[in-house]
Amino acid sequence: MMQFDCTLPTRIFFGAGCLQRQAGLFPFLGKKALLVTGKASAAENGSLEDVCRALAEAGVAWVHFPGVEPDPGFDTV
């Protein structure tokens, strides 16, 4: 019988201004980010703009994949 072990440590930052305060970590996570959002709320509430600005200031390129439906199907994934 095969056994697999996977550890995925998670750090969660939250609060006003947390993106800008933690933007220095972005380059250590990779050179390009994939931003996956729903149809409109991320753009309407300003969070998409905040993330794009923080990534740009950290020198990390990004691609936006918008319009993901709730409980996305195989075609979307």
Side-chain angles (χ1 to χ4, degrees):
M1 178 187 307
M2 297 183 75
Q3 178 178 337
F4 297 94
D5 184 24
C6 180
T7 303
L8 300 171
T10 302
R11 294 176 69 186
I12 299 173
F13 300 96
F14 59 94
C18 69
L19 283 171
Q20 285 70 32
R21 286 194 307 274
Q22 302 304 324
L25 297 175
F26 295 164
F28 295 103
L29 299 173
K31 296 178 181 180
K32 196 170 197 178
L34 173 61
L35 305 178
V36 180
T37 64
K39 293 180 182 176
S41 63
E44 290 173 0
N45 68 28
S47 59
L48 178 60
E49 182 180 342
D50 291 345
V51 171
C52 292
R53 185 178 328 120
L55 288 168
E57 289 173 2
V60 176
W62 52 270
V63 174
H64 183 209
F65 183 71
V68 176
E69 70 276 8
D71 298 320
F74 285 110
D75 289 343
T76 301
V77 175

